[in-house]
Amino acid sequence: MADRVHRGLDRFGGRWLGSWLERNALRFQRTDEGLAAFFRREPIALVPSILLYVGGWFLRAVETWLFLRLVGVAAPLPAAMVIETALILVRAMAVPVPAGLGVQDTAYVLCLKALGVPDATTVGTAFVLLKRGKDLFWILLGFLLLGVGRRPGEARLAARPGEDAASRGTFG
């Protein structure tokens, strides 16, 4: 896999990336060897991870289906599953955009237009607001739990000799 990525980078960005690719060719090769060893060891050990991923994707599709119902779109569950699959691809391709800002929202609206939803822009905006509102709820709940998680007088992790809080990445 890493060798294919290396060849693709060489083919499309050889002029700009050529020297970097030459310097890092061994790293690509070691990555391939590590991946091959990982997948050769026990392929059955990957099943729980795959099932959790598929379960999460399915729950996200059910959430999309439910939110579509809330905004008045009577789309079937398989349509919600297709929308979520398309959005997984969009998010993967939108890596250069910080947090995929706007890309995911636009993709939802375009999916609704493709489904033939009347007034897809308005419905899509309401749908995206529901999605973002849900995200905001869980973020705020997480911060709330983080704030109430530590009790006064609770012991903190002790620093190793010669280590300060900033070098451990903890600031309090």
Side-chain angles (χ1 to χ4, degrees):
M1 179 64 129
D3 184 52
R4 287 182 186 161
V5 170
H6 184 268
R7 283 183 287 167
L9 288 171
D10 191 36
R11 187 176 317 122
F12 294 111
R15 266 190 305 191
W16 301 285
L17 299 173
S19 62
W20 181 84
L21 288 170
E22 286 178 27
R23 284 192 316 269
N24 292 291
L26 186 59
R27 288 182 178 177
F28 279 92
Q29 183 180 3
R30 282 191 301 220
T31 300
D32 257 351
E33 291 166 359
L35 285 170
F38 175 79
F39 286 109
R40 266 194 309 262
R41 253 184 261 142
E42 286 187 49
I44 196 74
L46 295 174
V47 170
S49 300
I50 292 169
L51 289 176
L52 281 172
Y53 181 82
V54 169
W57 167 73
F58 182 73
L59 285 175
R60 193 169 168 95
V62 168
E63 172 193 280
T64 296
W65 176 77
L66 177 65
F67 285 177
L68 286 172
R69 294 276 177 180
L70 288 174
V71 296
V73 177
L77 182 60
M81 294 169 86
V82 169
I83 289 172
E84 282 306 315
T85 303
L87 266 290
I88 288 170
L89 293 173
V90 167
R91 277 191 300 270
M93 290 185 289
V95 171
V97 179
L101 290 175
V103 175
Q104 185 173 336
D105 306 330
T106 303
Y108 276 125
V109 172
L110 292 175
C111 285
L112 293 176
K113 283 184 181 183
L115 287 173
V117 173
D119 200 15
T121 304
T122 305
V123 172
T125 302
F127 175 78
V128 167
L129 286 173
L130 277 173
K131 285 279 206 179
R132 297 295 182 218
K134 181 241 353 162
D135 293 340
L136 182 62
F137 169 78
W138 289 113
I139 290 168
L140 293 174
L141 181 65
F143 276 122
L144 177 70
L145 292 175
L146 184 66
V148 298
R150 184 177 294 158
R151 295 186 177 85
E154 185 176 329
R156 296 177 185 216
L157 291 176
R160 290 183 222 135
E163 182 180 55
D164 62 353
S167 65
R168 286 194 333 258
T170 56
F171 299 101

